[in-house]
DNA sequence: CCAAAAGTGTTGGCTGTACACCCATGT
DNA sequence: ACATGGGTGTACAGCCAACACTTTTGG
């Protein structure tokens, strides 16, 4: 969503207009087993050099915020067609008055190929086991988690956390990991099926499974609100 | 909410980091009778000089985004203690790549004293009767309205659109104006009272009324989620 | 006395939640 | 044979929507 801003009101007498740095941050989340994980990188510059932080960077010449966020996501994970949404814009906390536009992305951990840098490669961390982070990055991650939990209730965002074909149990595990509580199997299936956001592929999952399970796919691999 | 941003990643080779203008816009909404209205001002500078637009301006030295938005709101309406929340950050549409952080505010039109500039004073416009606007300001207003309608359903934001003491009918009119449809009186009262977000003051409203009505006030004059 | 707004309950449908057993396959 | 996960239905409760009349006051 790239729409227009508005008034280039002139600075008033007595005050100075600022030209702050504008950074983009991306909270990249995935579900791995029963845990929600977030992708972190090591900072290569001061301040907080060498401490873990969310991936991000400055806005490049003539790119929009959405483009910058998608670029960052691609840089770190090699993934492009996933759920990516603006989260919140933070100001003022690197001490030098910069502005940081946070995004959040949902990726299938199987599909992501993390950047293989020689030093300080990115890594996944369970959101309950975060290392000390630069700036107030915990706040940003909390914000993303709250938003994700809310969206799970009224949208199909989970499409971005699973492979194209998946079983209802896999889907349920994703919901349980994000909500942090077990869900009743029958109620879950009833609800999801009645929403008609997924459809059976006709195939069966048999890979090392006990009883083969029906495969489903999302009708839309883009965000849909119920 | 002023929290910290993150990485001051260095620009990479081959690309140029941008130092864009950062503007703050405020969608100031009120409910007047049966209409939702938005405050607009006339632009005093190119581009779009003299056309209507949302109030806004550049970030001043050493102020946060929230402070800038509150300042703008105060400048235009003289109002300070109201609902004010960040909405979305737009990039790229004044053609010169600026970044605009939009906020939205809810004010009681009785309480707002519009800035009395000699020329081009601000004015209220019904959101269904907007004049031609600068940039893509219609998009921003739409966004605010959607958010407001959603919040009405699960928060007490309406507190900011009414005087401290009000009748249930007044509250219902506010809801009806925002949702754009009539609500059943008995169901409305039942629902609101069961939420326990308001309480009777003990007083009665009798000003030019037919039958005196009980007055209520919000238990919390700050945002609360149900 | 008439107009205008305040106030008040009940019913039916729908939705969400709790809950337990059998089956197919792999080992 | 057993362990593992897949698959299925019912009953109760709470919530929301529909619906009409009486009362009080001002003009």
């Amino acid at each position: 969503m790239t729409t227009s801003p508005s008034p280039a009101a002139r600075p008033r007498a007595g005050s100075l207009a600022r030209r702050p740095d504008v950074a983009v941050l991306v909270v990249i989340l995935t579900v791995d087993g029963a845990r929600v994980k977030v992708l972190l990188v090591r900072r290569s510059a001061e301040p907080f050099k060498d401490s873990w932080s969310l991936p991000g960077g400055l806005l490049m010449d003539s790119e929009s915020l959405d483009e910058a966020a998608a670029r960052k996501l691609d840089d770190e994970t090699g993934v492009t067609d996933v759920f990516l949404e603006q989260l919140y814009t933070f100001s003022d906390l690197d001490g030098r008055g910069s502005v940081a536009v946070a995004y959040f992305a949902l990726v299938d951990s199987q599909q992501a190929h993390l950047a293989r840098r020689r030093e300080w490669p990115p890594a996944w961390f369970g959101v309950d086991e975060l290392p000390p982070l630069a700036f107030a990055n915990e706040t940003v991650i909390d914000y993303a988690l709250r938003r994700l939990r809310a969206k799970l209730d009224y949208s199909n965002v989970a499409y971005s956390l699973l492979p194209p074909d998946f079983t209802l149990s896999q889907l349920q595990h994703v919901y349980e990991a994000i909500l942090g509580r077990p869900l009743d199997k029958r109620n879950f299936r009833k609800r999801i099926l009645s929403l008609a956001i997924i459809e059976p592929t006709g195939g069966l999952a048999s890979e090392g499974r006990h009883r083969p399970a029906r495969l489903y796919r999302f009708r839309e691999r883009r965000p849909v609100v119920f």
Side-chain angles (χ1 to χ4, degrees), chain A residues 65-184:
Chain A
L65 292 168
D66 286 7
E67 285 162 357
R71 174 173 58 80
K72 260 294 151 195
L73 174 62
D74 189 10
D75 283 356
E76 303 295 337
T77 64
V79 152
T80 52
D81 255 334
V82 298
F83 178 84
L84 176 63
E85 183 178 89
Q86 197 188 102
L87 191 59
Y88 197 79
T89 300
F90 298 89
S91 65
D92 195 48
L93 269 237
D94 60 352
R96 292 196 309 273
S98 81
V99 167
V101 183
Y103 277 74
F104 87 114
L106 302 176
V107 308
D108 174 9
S109 49
Q110 303 310 305
Q111 217 171 320
H113 303 296
L114 302 193
R116 301 221 116 280
R117 302 194 190 97
R118 251 204 301 283
E119 350 183 24
W120 304 138
W124 294 111
F125 288 84
V127 292
D128 290 328
E129 312 158 331
L130 296 176
L133 297 179
F135 307 117
N137 278 342
E138 294 86 350
T139 308
V140 184
I141 294 172
D142 272 9
Y143 210 104
L145 286 170
R146 278 205 302 272
R147 184 96 136 236
L148 171 56
R149 290 196 192 103
K151 289 228 151 190
L152 210 52
D153 255 32
Y154 62 87
S155 82
N156 69 343
V157 284
Y159 78 84
S160 202
L161 292 164
L162 288 165
D165 291 3
F166 54 88
T167 67
L168 275 172
S169 293
Q170 285 177 286
L171 182 61
Q172 184 174 344
H173 293 324
V174 166
Y175 272 68
E176 289 175 332
I178 295 170
L179 298 176
R181 66 185 148 97
L183 300 173
D184 180 84

Side-chain angles (χ1 to χ4, degrees), chain A residues 4-41:
Chain A
S4 152
S6 183
R10 63 212 175 295
R12 13 197 99 181
S15 268
L16 284 133
R18 244 205 290 157
R19 242 345 146 81
D21 278 327
V22 176
V24 171
L25 308 187
V26 191
V27 183
I28 303 170
L29 298 175
T30 195
V31 173
D32 180 10
R35 294 206 127 18
V36 180
K37 298 192 170 181
V38 59
L39 191 79
L40 298 176
V41 299

